[in-house]
Amino acid sequence: LLSRSCFSTPVALIPSPSFCFPTASQAAYFSQQPQDQVVVSGQSVTLPCVIVGYRGMVQWTKDGLALGGERDLPGERYVMTTLVGEHSLLIDSAELADDAVYECQATQAALRSHRAKLTVLVPPGDPVVEGGPVVKLKAHTPHNLTCRASGAKPAAEITWYRDGEIQESAIYSKTLMEDGKREAAVSMLPLVPDDKDSGRTYTCRVLNPAAPAGRQTSVTINVQHPPSVTLSVQPQTVMEGAKVLFICSASANPEITGYRWSKGGIPISEANGDSLEVTVDHSYFTDPVSCEVSNSVGSTNVSTLVDVQFGPRLLSEPKPLVVDIGMDAAFTCSWTGNPPLTLAWTKQGSSVVLSNSNTLQLKAVTQEDAGTYTCKAIVPRIGVAERDVTLTVNGPPIITADATQHAVKNSKGKLECLVGSSPPPEKIVWTFGDVSLSAGTSGRFTVQTVTSDRGVLSSLILSETHAQDFELRYNCTAWNRFGTGTALVILKEQEALPMLIIVGATVGGGCVLIICIITLVSLCCRNSVKGELGRSNSCCQRGGGLHSHCLVTYRDRSILDAFRRELRNLLRGSSN
């Protein structure tokens, strides 16, 4: 065996090893081998390799592939030390590509060192927050604030801060990049922003072992929202026909871009500002006025009604009814008004209120229930309105006739009965003595029928009354599909007026008429004569003599006096 002598010498970049040179009896061996190391990208690193008792060729492999010997190393960043027995590999400014498994080999001695894993750490780049530096968010709409940190090895840790306060609700994920070594990290911070969040600062901080101090990016939140709208009306309570002012107050971020007005869903084309003045009618009480305000984020629509006070307005008119006797009947009418109205159902000819609701119910009607009903609406202090509706009750004929009727003996006479029921009578018959007559003429008797709004009027006409006619009982009988009805009539004789009374009344009436005419003429003549006498007196007194036109005036007065005397005589003779 060879003896071995050793000595120590300093070697650059590695701890000063002790070098042992074998004697002739010793085999080559590694006194120092590469170990796993971690280096930050951009830093330099040395992988040590010292072989004792070997003077042959030494090479390094990277991931099993030869890098070459001392003179064959690629590039300028790989350097192998040249001291005796030392073959350490220096890598300058380590790159991600240097991240590999290295081995030092003494090929002629068939020696291989331990495999050493060189891990190159890569710091993350500056984090990127989507939408920064000012992130525009919509109020009350969920949003994920997203921060990305790419190209780090290992993946960057990401932490969120809001105005310096750490946020714990972020969702973290990472993915391997195409090079198979670096990773991209993503952190999403869920938000439901409101107006108070506008202007706040959110900071995304990233770090990994290659950048323990970390890097960060901050953004400011700009919370945008559709317009917040308040719609008011002045005054709120008005009478129909008055003017009101609608005011649409709004705030928005970003700024308002337009106003749109509508009433009952129908646009008001002429209105485009923040106020609207109109003259209101009853429709504003039920059809809302809407103001829609818009900006780039969205629009907000607000509506309001006006407390318009107005008198009754008919919404549903009652309809006439025709029902059979014994059936139920119901009328319905609907009104609107403001202030709230009161309804009252009555029957014409009666002040009794039958119902205060929209519907009037009549149970098991009789023919007495037939008639006109009134639906009246009363709005306090405003007005009253009403609608009439008729109820027709089908039933047996109802006959109306005076029990005693009169006629003058030996003159024309007439008896009448009115059939006023529904449906109209199919037949009306007069019966008296041995006679039964429904239409046409029989001897001195004729039956005539006339239809009117009141019903069917049947008349029994006597061309000349005889004494025996006043001793009979006359029956007026009518039929329809519901039954019969009968009325009994007695004919009484009526005394005729004496002829002397008739003549006297005629003469007296004529005299009164003549007196009225003469009095009127006299008044007119008196006024005319007064004017003439005035002129005559003045003319006759001039010069003391009578002129011709004065004589004519006196003659006219004499004629007028004679006319008056004749009139008095005429009246005196008439009275006698």
Side-chain angles (χ1 to χ4, degrees), residues 325-403:
I325 189 170
M327 296 181 63
D328 295 342
F331 293 109
T332 299
C333 75
S334 179
W335 298 83
T336 184
N338 187 40
L341 53 78
T342 300
L343 277 179
W345 282 94
T346 58
K347 185 180 180 184
Q348 279 190 5
S350 172
S351 59
V352 176
V353 176
L354 303 175
S355 175
N356 292 115
S357 68
N358 289 341
T359 301
L360 172 63
Q361 293 279 358
L362 299 174
K363 298 291 186 180
V365 297
T366 65
Q367 289 176 290
E368 287 74 19
D369 293 321
T372 300
Y373 291 82
T374 300
C375 178
K376 180 183 291 185
I378 305 168
V379 177
R381 304 183 306 277
I382 303 297
V384 178
E386 59 184 37
R387 279 293 186 277
D388 292 337
V389 63
T390 58
L391 172 64
T392 302
V393 178
N394 290 329
I398 298 176
I399 301 178
T400 303
D402 292 335

Side-chain angles (χ1 to χ4, degrees), residues 147-162:
C147 179
R148 301 181 183 276
S150 300
K153 184 176 179 295
E157 299 177 6
I158 303 177
T159 306
W160 283 98
Y161 298 85
R162 184 183 69 183

Side-chain angles (χ1 to χ4, degrees), residues 558-572:
S558 299
I559 295 171
L560 183 57
D561 290 339
F563 176 75
R564 288 175 178 171
R565 286 193 299 270
E566 290 297 332
L567 179 59
R568 282 195 293 269
N569 293 334
L570 177 61
L571 293 176
R572 190 178 297 115

Side-chain angles (χ1 to χ4, degrees), residues 39-353:
V39 65
V40 175
S41 175
Q43 296 179 349
S44 298
V45 63
T46 299
L47 300 176
C49 179
V50 179
I51 304 175
V52 178
Y54 181 74
R55 295 184 180 275
M57 187 182 74
V58 176
Q59 71 173 6
W60 284 87
T61 64
K62 175 183 176 183
D63 288 338
L65 299 176
L67 283 175
E70 175 184 346
R71 296 180 181 178
D72 299 326
L73 292 175
E76 298 180 353
R77 295 187 303 106
Y78 292 90
V79 178
M80 186 185 300
T81 58
T82 59
L83 296 177
V84 177
E86 182 181 1
H87 307 281
S88 299
L89 179 64
L90 171 64
I91 302 176
D92 186 32
S93 299
E95 298 176 354
L96 184 62
D98 301 326
D99 189 280
V101 176
Y102 293 84
E103 186 179 80
C104 180
Q105 298 177 353
T107 57
Q108 293 173 338
L111 294 177
R112 292 186 176 187
S113 69
H114 298 308
R115 292 185 177 184
K117 175 70 171 83
L118 177 62
T119 300
V120 179
L121 303 182
V122 181
D126 290 334
V128 176
V129 179
E130 292 182 358
V134 178
V135 180
K136 297 178 180 180
L137 303 179
K138 186 175 181 180
H140 312 296
T141 300
H143 179 82
N144 290 326
L145 202 58
T146 303
C147 179
R148 301 181 183 276
S150 300
K153 184 176 179 295
E157 299 177 6
I158 303 177
T159 306
W160 283 98
Y161 298 85
R162 184 183 69 183
D163 293 338
E165 180 180 352
I166 193 169
Q167 303 294 295
E168 302 288 354
S169 59
I171 301 171
Y172 178 83
S173 64
K174 60 182 180 180
T175 56
L176 194 64
M177 296 179 67
E178 291 183 357
D179 57 23
K181 297 181 180 293
R182 293 177 300 165
E183 293 178 287
V186 178
S187 179
M188 294 185 294
L189 182 64
L191 298 176
V192 182
D194 56 25
D195 291 342
K196 66 182 181 181
D197 292 322
S198 193
R200 283 186 165 176
T201 299
Y202 283 79
T203 301
C204 173
R205 179 174 293 174
V206 300
L207 57 87
N208 75 348
R215 297 177 178 179
Q216 66 183 38
T217 298
S218 296
V219 295
T220 302
I221 300 299
N222 179 6
V223 180
Q224 299 184 337
H225 57 84
S228 299
V229 182
T230 301
L231 181 58
S232 60
V233 57
Q234 299 175 354
Q236 177 63 41
T237 301
V238 294
M239 292 294 295
E240 187 173 23
K243 287 188 176 182
V244 299
L245 179 65
F246 294 93
I247 300 174
C248 191
S249 303
S251 61
N253 179 30
E255 69 276 0
I256 294 170
T257 56
Y259 293 83
R260 190 176 73 167
W261 294 86
S262 62
K263 173 179 173 285
I266 300 175
I268 305 174
S269 57
E270 64 272 15
N272 53 19
D274 61 357
S275 63
L276 172 66
E277 186 177 39
V278 297
T279 299
V280 297
D281 57 20
H282 68 278
S283 64
Y284 285 81
F285 183 69
T286 54
D287 296 342
V289 172
S290 301
C291 174
E292 183 179 34
V293 187
S294 304
N295 66 358
S296 60
V297 176
S299 61
T300 303
N301 192 308
V302 179
S303 301
T304 188
L305 292 169
V306 183
D307 185 21
V308 181
Q309 296 191 344
F310 58 95
R313 300 188 68 87
L314 187 64
L315 299 179
S316 175
E317 188 161 358
K319 294 179 173 54
L321 291 177
V322 178
V323 298
D324 291 345
I325 189 170
M327 296 181 63
D328 295 342
F331 293 109
T332 299
C333 75
S334 179
W335 298 83
T336 184
N338 187 40
L341 53 78
T342 300
L343 277 179
W345 282 94
T346 58
K347 185 180 180 184
Q348 279 190 5
S350 172
S351 59
V352 176
V353 176

